[in-house]
Amino acid sequence: MIGWFVGVALAEELAVEVREKGDAGGPIASATVDLACGDGSRSATTDAEGRATLSFGTPPCTLSVTAPGFHATERTLDAPGEVVVWVRPGHGEMEIVVEGLKSTADPTRYSVDAEQAEETPGTLDDAVRLVQSLPGVTVQREYSPSSGDLSVRGSSPGDSRYFLDGIEIPYLYHYNQYASVFPATQIDTLELFPSTFSARYGDAVGAVIDARSRIDVPDGLHGSGSVNFVMASAEAKAPVGRGWWLGVSGRRSYQDLAGESTAQYTLWPIFGDWVVRAEHGSPTRGTGVFAFGASDRYERAAGELDLLDPLEATTTPYLDYAQHFEGLGVRRQWGGELGGRVSAGLVRHVRRADLSGIGDERLESDALVSRGDLGWYPTAAADRWARGLDLGWELNSRRVGYVIDDAGPDGLRVAEEAPGLGRGVSIDDELWRLQGGLYGTGHAQLGPVRVMPGLRVDGDSTIAEAQVEPRLAARWKLADQTMIKAGAGRYAQRPDSEHLFAGTGNPDLPTTTSWQVSGGWEQTVSGRLELGLEAYRKWLFDPLVFPIDDAAYAVPTGDAWGVEAITRYRIREIVFLWGWLAVQQSTVEEPDGTIVPSDGDQRVSGGVVVSVDQGGWNLGARYRYASGLPFTQLDGSLYDAGNDVWVPTPGPTNGARLPPYHKVDLRAAHTWSFRGWSLTFTTEVWIVPKASAQLYPTWNFDYTEQGWVSGPTFLPLLSLRAKF
Amino acid sequence: MLLALLAACQAPFGADRHDLVGFRVAAVDADPVRDGGTTTARVAVIVDGRPFSHAPVDLAWYLLADPDELLDLDPLSTADGVGPEPELVVPADRRVLGLIARQGDLEERAFVELPTPPASVHPPRALTSGVLPLPAMSALLGPELLLDAREALSADPGDAVPPGGALRLGAEVGDEDPLVRWMSTAGTWFELDRHTADWIAGDDLLLDDDELEGERIPLEPQIVTVLALALGDPGDTAFRATEVFVGDAPEGVWVGGRFLPGDGLPEVAPGQALTTTLRADDTSPTGFRLEGGEVTDPSLVADWGTPSLPCVIGHDGPLDPDWWLTQQCFTNGIDGLRVGLIPDPGGLR
């Protein structure tokens, strides 16, 4: 390159190299370079390396560079030689994104990507938190103990499954509230299938979240670093030859390093996650080898020290809690008439809790997982009624070890995090488990109607029965911009392994099954504004409930129905907005036949999100409303006079409700682009009316007085990100 | 910064377990018993924040197989025992002693899983008090109340403090080394060790992360009843009560470690009896005060007057102030009755 510059300088020529300003910094090919001098104008087009050479005329000369998708740039030159022109990305052609009107076998599929996750106010770069702004997903109060729960269409959090590149991950949220276990920057798309999903997914009566890693092949070394008020992160990726590139990413909370600790939290929560990836090829044809992990740890007093007498505080045991998982996977994806994705991996998950040496529990799982999803769509079939076929499998083998050393009555005080300690038993046992499933979905075009029947068969070594799950989806395209859709199917889910141990659980727990139907209407207006309306119903049989002090058990039935409306408008990297309104009801039948609201029974929720990019600025706002979730009121107590403690007497199950929730998030971010790197400063503000700030109920010593733990009503948040 | 931003907060509750307020079963003491044996139970009940009641409290006792059975019991159902001090034969399959205490519309339910002999705890032999050299309540910051700081303090003998002052209460226990829980009809507690606690003559003090919060309202001058509950093996408890004073200690007499205020009381030599007149007084720990009286030799007292007291258990002998805390007696109709009692040695103030 130096020789090229030297050569053109000696020849009284101007060597121009055009590169993208900002973190990408790559060469711009096919840019138009115009040079207007006193003796006339000349023009050239840049080559693949972003270079062009022009003869230099009578100065002064004006150099103009234009390229599709970039802002035009001008500068004045007085002498020949070499010049590097950095052009700022602009908005060339507007890419209007329409999510609906796709003939997938999933009647409902919500997709979010990194841009939405990064720019939606209140999500803090968290793709999963963004999912909580989708219709049908229970709106949780930020930083409440349940804020990481993903309850969809009335389901319980444990009814859903979470996949990263086809490999199921054990848990979704650090500390069940602060952040999800993978950063938005690593995610290309994250899809939510709230119910009536296709035969592709099984062993779930709730929802499925499938996250796919970003596979954009780097042209050089790129990376970023960021810090917000909770975590710091860094990532880098670079080509390593032979068509391979390597990416690494890591995040960690840092308040513990800053010396944060209290009497209540003697070890401030530490959490982090990491990904290492080696990728070859492209998103449509390539291979990936990846490792990932996440960890959480803290130590806290088992009681609320502020509410305890100082002497009691000194005798309160401490809970040392840790949870982590690590995975190693390989993925192969390819396109064409017979395309698909196959992935396999090894995932280790450990959860341990030690209550000051009084008792402890350790749950560890080693799983060998694999799944393949193949699609056969022959071009020759484009005009036939039989359009294609999806086939796939899922095969998981795992060993689960569970050791509980009973902590006595104190165990109940930490049962939320260490459920084994709340059950008052000791065990040392292990469970070997094999789960598998096969599925097929046909795609038939019958005039304007696409019909997609499917069948899935699942088996599990913990029970001698196979689950046969027929599924059916249909989409009728009434016009270019109008589609109606419907879906129905049977779904089944075996309990998590930790509930199947004798002693602390019940090996004979039944399989939860569900019949689900949904139907809806999708409409686009002028090819860009999307409107959708959908209704669903779910019948559950043998849904599980999880008492805090006893083994899980099945109740006879559950029921959920709802109606959801959504509107979306999006021009990629310019603006997106969406609004939604959901009305639903979700109940379960108690063993005595009483029908009570389920934990996820949020009758009304809705909101609106808007985000605009303009001139290096991103401005956004989000408003969310949700009616209160139910909880069980404690209605006084029995005084255990022999131990001087009060045993609460629960009122009607889920007979009380939290107050309605309102939250406004505002976001302003500015990106400064420099030569080869960029810097983004983000400030967010959350506003919660005082009447909505309650996080969870608390009770006084004898449960005769109820109070609330309340969160902040106004919270400013800052973050900084540098990319190169 | 994170702590400041994210700190969730909770408004303090109006009362904690140290506060003898409202209608409350404060303690139950049942004798250890073997299967098929007989146990006797005693109960300390607080009515409208006072350690006595104007009218009898309905006390119904049930022998149960499981504490949860108590939740669904009809309080009008036939009980295994009624009243303040029942004797109950305990079958092997029903070793949970349940209690439903009612007065008017108020109801409290409590239970004890009956212990087996030998007893692991006895009532504290005595409750002691001393004045703590803490700054005035208005000057307290919080660190002075931390455990380490209070351990370094020593108390001077005394049982009366000005409003906002502090006392140290101790329980003289036997060899069992029980954990003693402290309660009172007013004031704020900060426990010190298994048998000792510090008490401040003020309300609305909240120690939050080493800082004292709340309005810090000094108590008005009054007599405060303190209850010490000793916890032995699970189910095995014992209790004892006493009084401390906010402001100057009033005239009165100590009887069995309890204080009875009085007016115009004569000097009583140790071992002598006092025959006196009762006057209804809700500011007294028993609901009455003493008025005048004569000193006599106990052996010469022909009529202690106690059979005439408004009690649900018949008594004959010197008056015991604990009869009101344990709901053996009430105060309606007590005004003007004459009774005999034997003050503690040196118990006259």
Side-chain angles (χ1 to χ4, degrees), chain A residues 646-687:
Chain A
W646 286 260
V647 181
T649 54
T653 304
N654 282 341
R657 286 186 182 271
L658 291 161
Y661 186 57
H662 299 264
K663 184 165 185 271
V664 174
D665 297 284
L666 304 175
R667 181 181 199 271
H670 189 262
T671 300
W672 292 270
S673 296
F674 306 100
R675 294 179 178 182
W677 69 288
S678 67
L679 185 68
T680 301
F681 177 76
T682 304
T683 178
E684 290 200 6
V685 173
W686 95 18
I687 303 161

Short mmCIF file of all heavy atoms in Angstrom, two decimals, chain A residues 646-687:
data_model
loop_
_atom_site.label_atom_id
_atom_site.label_comp_id
_atom_site.label_asym_id
_atom_site.label_seq_id
_atom_site.Cartn_x
_atom_site.Cartn_y
_atom_site.Cartn_z
N TRP A 646 -44.25 -17.16 65.02
CA TRP A 646 -45.61 -17.10 64.49
C TRP A 646 -45.66 -17.83 63.16
O TRP A 646 -44.81 -17.61 62.29
CB TRP A 646 -46.04 -15.65 64.30
CG TRP A 646 -46.36 -14.98 65.60
CD1 TRP A 646 -47.58 -14.77 66.14
CD2 TRP A 646 -45.42 -14.44 66.55
NE1 TRP A 646 -47.48 -14.15 67.36
CE2 TRP A 646 -46.16 -13.93 67.64
CE3 TRP A 646 -44.03 -14.35 66.61
CZ2 TRP A 646 -45.57 -13.33 68.75
CZ3 TRP A 646 -43.43 -13.75 67.70
CH2 TRP A 646 -44.20 -13.25 68.76
N VAL A 647 -46.62 -18.69 63.03
CA VAL A 647 -46.78 -19.47 61.80
C VAL A 647 -47.91 -18.82 60.99
O VAL A 647 -49.06 -18.79 61.44
CB VAL A 647 -47.15 -20.93 62.11
CG1 VAL A 647 -47.28 -21.73 60.82
CG2 VAL A 647 -46.10 -21.54 63.04
N PRO A 648 -47.60 -18.26 59.83
CA PRO A 648 -48.63 -17.52 59.10
C PRO A 648 -49.75 -18.43 58.63
O PRO A 648 -49.53 -19.60 58.31
CB PRO A 648 -47.86 -16.94 57.90
CG PRO A 648 -46.66 -17.80 57.75
CD PRO A 648 -46.31 -18.29 59.12
N THR A 649 -50.93 -17.87 58.61
CA THR A 649 -52.07 -18.61 58.06
C THR A 649 -52.41 -17.97 56.70
O THR A 649 -52.81 -16.81 56.65
CB THR A 649 -53.28 -18.52 58.99
OG1 THR A 649 -53.56 -17.15 59.27
CG2 THR A 649 -53.00 -19.23 60.28
N PRO A 650 -52.21 -18.73 55.63
CA PRO A 650 -52.46 -18.15 54.31
C PRO A 650 -53.93 -17.91 54.07
O PRO A 650 -54.77 -18.71 54.47
CB PRO A 650 -51.88 -19.20 53.35
CG PRO A 650 -51.84 -20.46 54.13
CD PRO A 650 -51.72 -20.11 55.56
N GLY A 651 -54.22 -16.81 53.40
CA GLY A 651 -55.58 -16.54 52.96
C GLY A 651 -55.87 -17.32 51.70
O GLY A 651 -55.13 -18.25 51.34
N PRO A 652 -56.93 -16.97 50.98
CA PRO A 652 -57.25 -17.67 49.74
C PRO A 652 -56.07 -17.61 48.76
O PRO A 652 -55.43 -16.56 48.62
CB PRO A 652 -58.45 -16.89 49.19
CG PRO A 652 -59.05 -16.24 50.39
CD PRO A 652 -57.92 -15.94 51.32
N THR A 653 -55.78 -18.72 48.11
CA THR A 653 -54.65 -18.77 47.18
C THR A 653 -54.79 -17.69 46.11
O THR A 653 -55.81 -17.61 45.42
CB THR A 653 -54.59 -20.16 46.51
OG1 THR A 653 -54.52 -21.15 47.53
CG2 THR A 653 -53.37 -20.27 45.60
N ASN A 654 -53.74 -16.89 45.99
CA ASN A 654 -53.71 -15.79 45.01
C ASN A 654 -54.96 -14.93 45.09
O ASN A 654 -55.48 -14.46 44.07
CB ASN A 654 -53.52 -16.34 43.59
CG ASN A 654 -52.07 -16.72 43.32
OD1 ASN A 654 -51.17 -16.26 44.02
ND2 ASN A 654 -51.84 -17.53 42.32
N GLY A 655 -55.42 -14.72 46.30
CA GLY A 655 -56.64 -13.95 46.50
C GLY A 655 -56.42 -12.45 46.58
O GLY A 655 -57.38 -11.68 46.65
N ALA A 656 -55.17 -12.02 46.60
CA ALA A 656 -54.88 -10.58 46.64
C ALA A 656 -54.04 -10.22 45.42
O ALA A 656 -53.49 -11.11 44.75
CB ALA A 656 -54.12 -10.23 47.92
N ARG A 657 -53.94 -8.95 45.14
CA ARG A 657 -53.18 -8.52 43.96
C ARG A 657 -52.29 -7.33 44.29
O ARG A 657 -52.62 -6.49 45.13
CB ARG A 657 -54.11 -8.13 42.81
CG ARG A 657 -54.76 -9.33 42.15
CD ARG A 657 -55.57 -8.95 40.94
NE ARG A 657 -56.20 -10.16 40.40
CZ ARG A 657 -55.63 -10.95 39.49
NH1 ARG A 657 -54.44 -10.64 39.00
NH2 ARG A 657 -56.25 -12.03 39.08
N LEU A 658 -51.16 -7.32 43.59
CA LEU A 658 -50.29 -6.15 43.67
C LEU A 658 -51.02 -4.97 43.02
O LEU A 658 -51.90 -5.16 42.17
CB LEU A 658 -48.99 -6.42 42.91
CG LEU A 658 -48.06 -7.45 43.55
CD1 LEU A 658 -47.08 -7.96 42.51
CD2 LEU A 658 -47.30 -6.85 44.70
N PRO A 659 -50.62 -3.75 43.37
CA PRO A 659 -51.23 -2.60 42.69
C PRO A 659 -50.85 -2.59 41.21
O PRO A 659 -49.87 -3.21 40.80
CB PRO A 659 -50.60 -1.40 43.41
CG PRO A 659 -50.02 -1.94 44.65
CD PRO A 659 -49.66 -3.35 44.39
N PRO A 660 -51.64 -1.90 40.39
CA PRO A 660 -51.26 -1.79 38.97
C PRO A 660 -49.88 -1.16 38.82
O PRO A 660 -49.42 -0.42 39.68
CB PRO A 660 -52.35 -0.87 38.40
CG PRO A 660 -53.48 -0.98 39.34
CD PRO A 660 -52.89 -1.20 40.69
N TYR A 661 -49.24 -1.50 37.72
CA TYR A 661 -47.85 -1.06 37.50
C TYR A 661 -47.80 -0.13 36.30
O TYR A 661 -48.33 -0.43 35.23
CB TYR A 661 -47.00 -2.30 37.23
CG TYR A 661 -45.52 -2.05 37.12
CD1 TYR A 661 -44.81 -1.46 38.16
CD2 TYR A 661 -44.81 -2.43 35.99
CE1 TYR A 661 -43.45 -1.26 38.07
CE2 TYR A 661 -43.44 -2.25 35.90
CZ TYR A 661 -42.76 -1.66 36.94
OH TYR A 661 -41.42 -1.47 36.86
N HIS A 662 -47.19 1.01 36.50
CA HIS A 662 -46.92 1.93 35.39
C HIS A 662 -45.42 2.20 35.40
O HIS A 662 -44.83 2.39 36.46
CB HIS A 662 -47.62 3.27 35.60
CG HIS A 662 -49.10 3.20 35.67
ND1 HIS A 662 -49.91 3.44 34.59
CD2 HIS A 662 -49.93 2.93 36.70
CE1 HIS A 662 -51.18 3.32 34.95
NE2 HIS A 662 -51.22 3.01 36.24
N LYS A 663 -44.83 2.25 34.23
CA LYS A 663 -43.41 2.59 34.19
C LYS A 663 -43.12 3.30 32.88
O LYS A 663 -43.57 2.88 31.81
CB LYS A 663 -42.54 1.34 34.31
CG LYS A 663 -41.05 1.64 34.38
CD LYS A 663 -40.27 0.42 34.85
CE LYS A 663 -38.80 0.74 35.03
NZ LYS A 663 -38.02 0.53 33.82
N VAL A 664 -42.38 4.38 32.99
CA VAL A 664 -41.92 5.12 31.82
C VAL A 664 -40.40 5.05 31.80
O VAL A 664 -39.74 5.26 32.82
CB VAL A 664 -42.38 6.60 31.90
CG1 VAL A 664 -41.77 7.39 30.74
CG2 VAL A 664 -43.89 6.68 31.87
N ASP A 665 -39.86 4.71 30.65
CA ASP A 665 -38.40 4.72 30.45
C ASP A 665 -38.09 5.70 29.33
O ASP A 665 -38.72 5.67 28.27
CB ASP A 665 -37.91 3.33 30.06
CG ASP A 665 -38.15 2.32 31.15
OD1 ASP A 665 -37.40 2.34 32.15
OD2 ASP A 665 -39.08 1.51 31.01
N LEU A 666 -37.11 6.53 29.57
CA LEU A 666 -36.66 7.48 28.55
C LEU A 666 -35.19 7.19 28.26
O LEU A 666 -34.42 6.85 29.17
CB LEU A 666 -36.82 8.92 29.04
CG LEU A 666 -38.24 9.32 29.48
CD1 LEU A 666 -38.23 10.73 30.06
CD2 LEU A 666 -39.19 9.24 28.29
N ARG A 667 -34.82 7.34 27.02
CA ARG A 667 -33.44 7.02 26.64
C ARG A 667 -32.92 8.07 25.68
O ARG A 667 -33.62 8.49 24.75
CB ARG A 667 -33.40 5.66 25.95
CG ARG A 667 -32.01 5.19 25.54
CD ARG A 667 -32.12 3.84 24.84
NE ARG A 667 -30.85 3.14 24.81
CZ ARG A 667 -29.95 3.27 23.84
NH1 ARG A 667 -30.17 4.11 22.83
NH2 ARG A 667 -28.82 2.59 23.88
N ALA A 668 -31.71 8.51 25.90
CA ALA A 668 -31.02 9.39 24.96
C ALA A 668 -29.59 8.88 24.84
O ALA A 668 -28.90 8.67 25.84
CB ALA A 668 -31.03 10.83 25.45
N ALA A 669 -29.17 8.64 23.63
CA ALA A 669 -27.80 8.17 23.40
C ALA A 669 -27.20 8.95 22.25
O ALA A 669 -27.90 9.31 21.29
CB ALA A 669 -27.81 6.67 23.09
N HIS A 670 -25.94 9.22 22.36
CA HIS A 670 -25.26 9.89 21.26
C HIS A 670 -24.00 9.12 20.93
O HIS A 670 -23.27 8.69 21.81
CB HIS A 670 -24.90 11.33 21.62
CG HIS A 670 -24.39 12.10 20.43
ND1 HIS A 670 -23.06 12.29 20.18
CD2 HIS A 670 -25.06 12.70 19.42
CE1 HIS A 670 -22.92 12.97 19.05
NE2 HIS A 670 -24.12 13.24 18.57
N THR A 671 -23.80 8.95 19.63
CA THR A 671 -22.62 8.24 19.16
C THR A 671 -21.72 9.22 18.42
O THR A 671 -22.17 9.91 17.50
CB THR A 671 -23.01 7.08 18.23
OG1 THR A 671 -23.84 6.17 18.97
CG2 THR A 671 -21.78 6.36 17.71
N TRP A 672 -20.50 9.26 18.90
CA TRP A 672 -19.48 10.05 18.20
C TRP A 672 -18.65 9.09 17.36
O TRP A 672 -18.11 8.10 17.89
CB TRP A 672 -18.56 10.77 19.18
CG TRP A 672 -19.25 11.86 19.94
CD1 TRP A 672 -19.36 13.17 19.59
CD2 TRP A 672 -19.91 11.73 21.22
NE1 TRP A 672 -20.07 13.88 20.54
CE2 TRP A 672 -20.41 13.02 21.56
CE3 TRP A 672 -20.15 10.68 22.08
CZ2 TRP A 672 -21.11 13.26 22.73
CZ3 TRP A 672 -20.85 10.91 23.25
CH2 TRP A 672 -21.32 12.19 23.57
N SER A 673 -18.56 9.37 16.08
CA SER A 673 -17.79 8.50 15.19
C SER A 673 -16.43 9.12 14.91
O SER A 673 -16.34 10.31 14.56
CB SER A 673 -18.55 8.30 13.87
OG SER A 673 -19.75 7.62 14.10
N PHE A 674 -15.43 8.33 15.10
CA PHE A 674 -14.06 8.78 14.83
C PHE A 674 -13.46 7.86 13.78
O PHE A 674 -14.12 6.95 13.28
CB PHE A 674 -13.24 8.75 16.12
CG PHE A 674 -13.87 9.52 17.25
CD1 PHE A 674 -14.57 8.86 18.25
CD2 PHE A 674 -13.79 10.90 17.28
CE1 PHE A 674 -15.17 9.57 19.28
CE2 PHE A 674 -14.39 11.62 18.32
CZ PHE A 674 -15.07 10.95 19.32
N ARG A 675 -12.20 8.11 13.47
CA ARG A 675 -11.56 7.29 12.45
C ARG A 675 -11.29 5.90 13.03
O ARG A 675 -10.38 5.71 13.82
CB ARG A 675 -10.27 7.94 11.98
CG ARG A 675 -10.54 9.24 11.26
CD ARG A 675 -9.29 9.91 10.82
NE ARG A 675 -9.62 11.14 10.08
CZ ARG A 675 -8.72 11.93 9.54
NH1 ARG A 675 -7.43 11.65 9.64
NH2 ARG A 675 -9.09 13.02 8.90
N GLY A 676 -12.10 4.96 12.65
CA GLY A 676 -11.86 3.59 13.07
C GLY A 676 -12.53 3.19 14.36
O GLY A 676 -12.44 2.03 14.76
N TRP A 677 -13.18 4.13 15.04
CA TRP A 677 -13.88 3.72 16.26
C TRP A 677 -14.99 4.70 16.58
O TRP A 677 -15.09 5.79 15.99
CB TRP A 677 -12.90 3.60 17.44
CG TRP A 677 -12.33 4.89 17.93
CD1 TRP A 677 -11.41 5.68 17.29
CD2 TRP A 677 -12.65 5.54 19.15
NE1 TRP A 677 -11.12 6.78 18.03
CE2 TRP A 677 -11.86 6.72 19.20
CE3 TRP A 677 -13.49 5.26 20.21
CZ2 TRP A 677 -11.93 7.61 20.27
CZ3 TRP A 677 -13.54 6.15 21.28
CH2 TRP A 677 -12.76 7.30 21.30
N SER A 678 -15.82 4.31 17.48
CA SER A 678 -16.94 5.18 17.87
C SER A 678 -17.16 5.08 19.38
O SER A 678 -16.74 4.11 20.02
CB SER A 678 -18.22 4.78 17.13
OG SER A 678 -18.65 3.51 17.56
N LEU A 679 -17.80 6.10 19.89
CA LEU A 679 -18.07 6.16 21.32
C LEU A 679 -19.53 6.51 21.51
O LEU A 679 -20.02 7.49 20.93
CB LEU A 679 -17.17 7.23 21.97
CG LEU A 679 -17.24 7.34 23.49
CD1 LEU A 679 -16.67 6.10 24.15
CD2 LEU A 679 -16.48 8.59 23.95
N THR A 680 -20.23 5.73 22.29
CA THR A 680 -21.65 5.96 22.53
C THR A 680 -21.88 6.18 24.02
O THR A 680 -21.46 5.36 24.84
CB THR A 680 -22.50 4.77 22.06
OG1 THR A 680 -22.27 4.57 20.67
CG2 THR A 680 -23.99 5.03 22.29
N PHE A 681 -22.51 7.29 24.31
CA PHE A 681 -22.86 7.60 25.70
C PHE A 681 -24.38 7.53 25.81
O PHE A 681 -25.10 8.15 25.02
CB PHE A 681 -22.37 9.00 26.08
CG PHE A 681 -22.76 9.42 27.47
CD1 PHE A 681 -22.11 8.89 28.56
CD2 PHE A 681 -23.79 10.31 27.68
CE1 PHE A 681 -22.47 9.26 29.84
CE2 PHE A 681 -24.16 10.69 28.96
CZ PHE A 681 -23.49 10.17 30.05
N THR A 682 -24.83 6.78 26.76
CA THR A 682 -26.27 6.56 26.91
C THR A 682 -26.72 6.97 28.31
O THR A 682 -26.06 6.65 29.30
CB THR A 682 -26.63 5.08 26.71
OG1 THR A 682 -26.15 4.67 25.42
CG2 THR A 682 -28.12 4.85 26.79
N THR A 683 -27.81 7.67 28.33
CA THR A 683 -28.42 7.95 29.63
C THR A 683 -29.88 7.52 29.57
O THR A 683 -30.57 7.73 28.56
CB THR A 683 -28.30 9.43 30.02
OG1 THR A 683 -28.95 9.64 31.28
CG2 THR A 683 -28.95 10.33 28.98
N GLU A 684 -30.30 6.86 30.60
CA GLU A 684 -31.69 6.44 30.69
C GLU A 684 -32.27 6.89 32.02
O GLU A 684 -31.55 7.05 33.01
CB GLU A 684 -31.81 4.91 30.58
CG GLU A 684 -31.50 4.37 29.21
CD GLU A 684 -32.09 2.98 28.98
OE1 GLU A 684 -32.82 2.49 29.85
OE2 GLU A 684 -31.83 2.41 27.91
N VAL A 685 -33.53 7.08 32.02
CA VAL A 685 -34.24 7.45 33.24
C VAL A 685 -35.47 6.57 33.35
O VAL A 685 -36.15 6.35 32.37
CB VAL A 685 -34.69 8.93 33.19
CG1 VAL A 685 -35.57 9.26 34.36
CG2 VAL A 685 -33.49 9.84 33.16
N TRP A 686 -35.67 6.01 34.54
CA TRP A 686 -36.94 5.31 34.72
C TRP A 686 -37.78 6.06 35.73
O TRP A 686 -37.27 6.61 36.69
CB TRP A 686 -36.74 3.85 35.02
CG TRP A 686 -36.71 3.38 36.45
CD1 TRP A 686 -37.17 4.03 37.56
CD2 TRP A 686 -36.21 2.13 36.90
NE1 TRP A 686 -36.99 3.26 38.67
CE2 TRP A 686 -36.40 2.09 38.30
CE3 TRP A 686 -35.64 1.04 36.28
CZ2 TRP A 686 -36.02 1.01 39.07
CZ3 TRP A 686 -35.28 -0.04 37.07
CH2 TRP A 686 -35.46 -0.06 38.43
N ILE A 687 -39.04 6.08 35.45
CA ILE A 687 -40.00 6.79 36.29
C ILE A 687 -41.14 5.83 36.60
O ILE A 687 -41.78 5.31 35.70
CB ILE A 687 -40.54 8.03 35.57
CG1 ILE A 687 -39.39 8.96 35.16
CG2 ILE A 687 -41.54 8.78 36.44
CD1 ILE A 687 -39.75 9.94 34.07
#
